[in-house]
Amino acid sequence: MAQWTSAVGPAQLARQLQAQQPRPAGPGARKPPAYRALADGIRLLVLEGRVPVAARLPAERELAQALTVSRTTVAAAYEALRTEGFLESRRGAGSWTAVPAGNPLPARGLEPLPPEALGSMIDLGCAALPAPEPWLTRSVQGALEELPPYAHTHGDYPAGLPALRQMLADRYTASGIPTMPEQIMVTTGAMGAIDAICHLFAGRGERIAVESPSYANILQLMRSAGARLVPVAMAEGLDGWDLSRWRQVLRDAAPRLAYVVADFHNPTGALADEDQRRHLVEAARSAGTVLVVDETMTELHLEHDLQMPRPVCAFDPAGSTVLTVGSASKAFWAGMRIGWVRAAPDVIRSLVAARAYADLGTPVLEQLGVNWLMRTGGWTEAVGLRRDQARENRDALVAAVRRELPEWEFVVPRGGLTLWVRTGGLSGSRLAEVGERVGVRVPSGPRFGVDGAFEGFVRLPFTVGGPVADEAAVRLAAAARLVESGAGGGAEPPRSFVA
């Protein structure tokens, strides 16, 4: 019986390998043999999680043809991977990826490090901040006081607690977007909202247009649902969307869904202006594409003089084209797993009906906590604290990276939680691999692209500040030197660093 659970086609694997930048050779170093470079490339894809463990690789002849190399080169690379524990084979079943015994399984998303690992590792993988106390504690206490009446019910509210739906609708209305509670469904985080939308609108094999780059965990969610992702390149710097490219993709590919982050885009930090929002809604409506707008970063504007554009749904009053997704996780705390969808009432009814076969509903206590925050003004106070912390962290990280890595390029965003950095010609994947050995965890650019794009980038979130930001930049610089010299394999583990 075969041991593989998925397969990677030769063309797909070739695209991912060819997108990688070659490992820089140190002074006087020889170029590695072709088979060694190929083995290193496949190993890196496995360690990054971009080729899953237990994925069947193409036959030697197929991959050789796709890469235009000799079959001998592929055979030698496969043999090297088998020796190192990254490949297993069986006659008649082919070869499939593996990890050596004792190695942690690579993740394809951006999951946070376990708390016990934080003493020796600076985690720049997860764009989330600690809870803004005392508001988390106060919200839980307030929720407990309001819980008794709900405890006498079955506790399942597939559309969300009526009080929270009304609160969210009122907040949209107050911002100039008239909204009824019937247009709101409360979900288990923004991921739960987008998962529900994908299952309702985009079955297996359907096209979904996505920004390129885009949020890694959403891309993986859509891949897992069987979607065919159609990347649309972002404009340069922080200029938002390239509308001519969007019009072309919507016209030619006719995707069922399009997923965008208009406010402080993850990972680039771009902010789409009102004209871009209006024109994208018009283009989506003309193409019959449902536009899913992720607003999880909306409240994290970090400049006092910034005038925020109107929400994308302001240009689709009926809610027939734009589905808006919000969340408490970025603006408040990732541990508060409350998200929501704003859409037309008939769409909300369909989402609620489909939920019976998914998670039935969102935890009542957390919904009460968010409702308490919004009703009492605690939300405004907590988000203010979050902005102050993110601003200080951003400024500290920017200064540290500019000091330690002056050749790295980036534009400082005016909000959000992430810095999108061009790494001066170094491979983001190799920086991520070596970084973990020197005590800093950073996601590489290809996690945010489709089929290996953005190899020359990393994403740095504003999750650390002060001395920790300084130390993170020092460790990134150490990783960069090791990658540049080609000596990353001998990096020593870090000393304990207490944040």
Side-chain angles (χ1 to χ4, degrees):
M1 179 179 177
Q3 300 298 306
W4 48 272
T5 57
S6 62
V8 181
Q12 177 188 359
L13 184 57
R15 283 196 302 272
Q16 290 180 289
L17 288 166
Q18 289 165 350
Q20 292 179 337
Q21 296 174 346
R23 181 190 295 272
R30 292 184 177 181
K31 184 178 179 181
Y35 86 89
R36 184 66 262 172
L38 176 55
D40 285 347
I42 295 174
R43 177 178 57 83
L44 200 59
L45 291 173
V46 174
L47 289 172
E48 279 264 290
R50 288 185 282 133
V51 168
V53 175
R56 186 181 186 274
L57 295 186
E60 294 170 2
R61 188 185 304 278
E62 293 175 340
L63 185 57
Q65 290 174 346
L67 292 172
T68 62
V69 300
S70 71
R71 183 177 176 182
T72 302
T73 297
V74 177
Y78 278 13
E79 180 58 33
L81 290 168
R82 277 189 288 269
T83 301
E84 295 162 4
F86 287 94
L87 196 69
E88 296 181 9
S89 304
R90 180 177 299 170
R91 184 178 297 277
S95 299
W96 56 93
T97 57
V99 293
N103 278 38
L105 286 175
R108 304 191 74 183
L110 300 178
E111 76 296 337
L113 277 176
E116 61 269 17
L118 294 177
S120 60
M121 183 75 69
I122 300 176
D123 185 9
L124 297 182
C126 184
L129 291 163
E133 289 288 26
W135 294 106
L136 175 62
T137 298
R138 291 180 184 177
S139 70
V140 173
Q141 291 169 342
L144 287 171
E145 292 174 1
E146 297 175 7
L147 182 62
Y150 296 94
H152 295 292
T153 73
H154 50 61
D156 286 334
Y157 295 87
L161 292 185
L164 182 54
R165 296 177 74 195
Q166 182 70 60
M167 178 63 68
L168 293 167
D170 289 348
R171 286 172 60 85
Y172 278 108
T173 300
S175 68
I177 316 296
T179 303
M180 304 178 295
E182 292 79 9
Q183 290 178 262
I184 302 291
M185 181 177 83
V186 181
T187 62
T188 307
M191 293 286 288
I194 294 169
D195 183 56
I197 290 168
C198 288
H199 279 88
L200 180 63
F201 285 94
R204 185 166 292 276
E206 291 275 8
R207 294 185 182 93
I208 300 179
V210 296
E211 297 152 326
S212 182
S214 186
Y215 179 37
N217 285 342
I218 294 297
L219 295 181
Q220 186 53 34
L221 182 155
M222 292 173 175
R223 291 187 189 102
S224 298
R228 297 164 61 190
L229 301 184
V230 183
V232 186
M234 296 287 289
E236 287 297 318
L238 301 180
D239 292 337
W241 301 319
D242 185 326
L243 265 299
S244 62
R245 288 172 174 167
W246 270 106
R247 291 190 186 98
Q248 180 179 355
V249 166
L250 294 175
R251 181 181 64 247
D252 296 346
R256 185 71 181 93
L257 288 179
Y259 169 77
V260 297
V261 184
D263 300 320
F264 312 120
H265 173 260
N266 187 354
T268 68
L271 177 65
D273 63 32
E274 287 207 2
D275 282 343
Q276 290 175 322
R277 295 166 192 240
R278 179 185 298 106
H279 292 316
L280 184 57
V281 172
E282 291 171 354
R285 185 181 294 118
S286 297
T289 297
V290 175
L291 193 60
V292 182
V293 180
D294 187 335
E295 289 190 342
T296 54
M297 296 284 190
T298 297
E299 297 197 60
L300 292 176
H301 43 89
L302 305 183
E303 304 295 344
H304 298 295
D305 62 344
L306 178 60
Q307 182 66 39
M308 288 293 292
R310 285 178 291 170
V312 178
C313 59
F315 304 99
D316 180 45
S320 57
T321 297
V322 176
L323 308 185
T324 302
V325 172
S327 171
S329 65
K330 300 299 185 185
F332 186 72
W333 184 48
M336 188 73 83
R337 303 303 304 158
I338 298 295
W340 54 86
V341 181
R342 181 200 179 273
D346 61 319
V347 173
I348 294 297
R349 286 193 293 270
S350 297
L351 288 169
V352 171
R355 196 171 193 180
Y357 309 102
D359 63 355
L360 292 178
T362 300
V364 169
L365 191 64
E366 293 182 25
Q367 292 186 72
L368 288 172
V370 171
N371 189 60
W372 182 91
L373 284 165
M374 292 180 172
R375 190 185 72 248
T376 63
W379 180 268
T380 302
E381 294 286 341
V383 171
L385 290 173
R386 172 66 76 237
R387 290 191 192 115
D388 291 343
Q389 184 179 15
R391 186 185 306 110
E392 291 174 5
N393 286 357
R394 179 197 64 181
D395 295 347
L397 187 64
V398 164
V401 173
R402 283 177 171 164
R403 181 180 63 252
E404 299 294 336
L405 293 149
E407 67 278 13
W408 287 16
E409 301 172 23
F410 53 85
V411 182
V412 181
R414 304 188 72 186
L417 286 172
T418 57
L419 196 66
W420 186 237
V421 181
R422 191 188 300 271
T423 56
L426 298 180
S427 163
S429 298
R430 291 192 169 92
L431 282 167
E433 179 191 12
V434 176
E436 293 218 18
R437 300 192 203 134
V438 299
V440 59
R441 182 173 180 258
V442 57
S444 67
R447 287 185 177 271
F448 303 89
V450 177
D451 281 343
F454 308 110
E455 184 63 63
F457 290 82
V458 293
R459 189 195 73 172
L460 305 180
F462 314 144
T463 52
V464 296
V468 187
D470 292 337
E471 178 67 15
V474 167
R475 295 185 186 189
L476 283 171
R481 288 192 295 272
L482 287 168
V483 170
E484 197 164 15
S485 69
E492 291 294 325
R495 296 186 299 272
S496 176
F497 182 83
V498 180

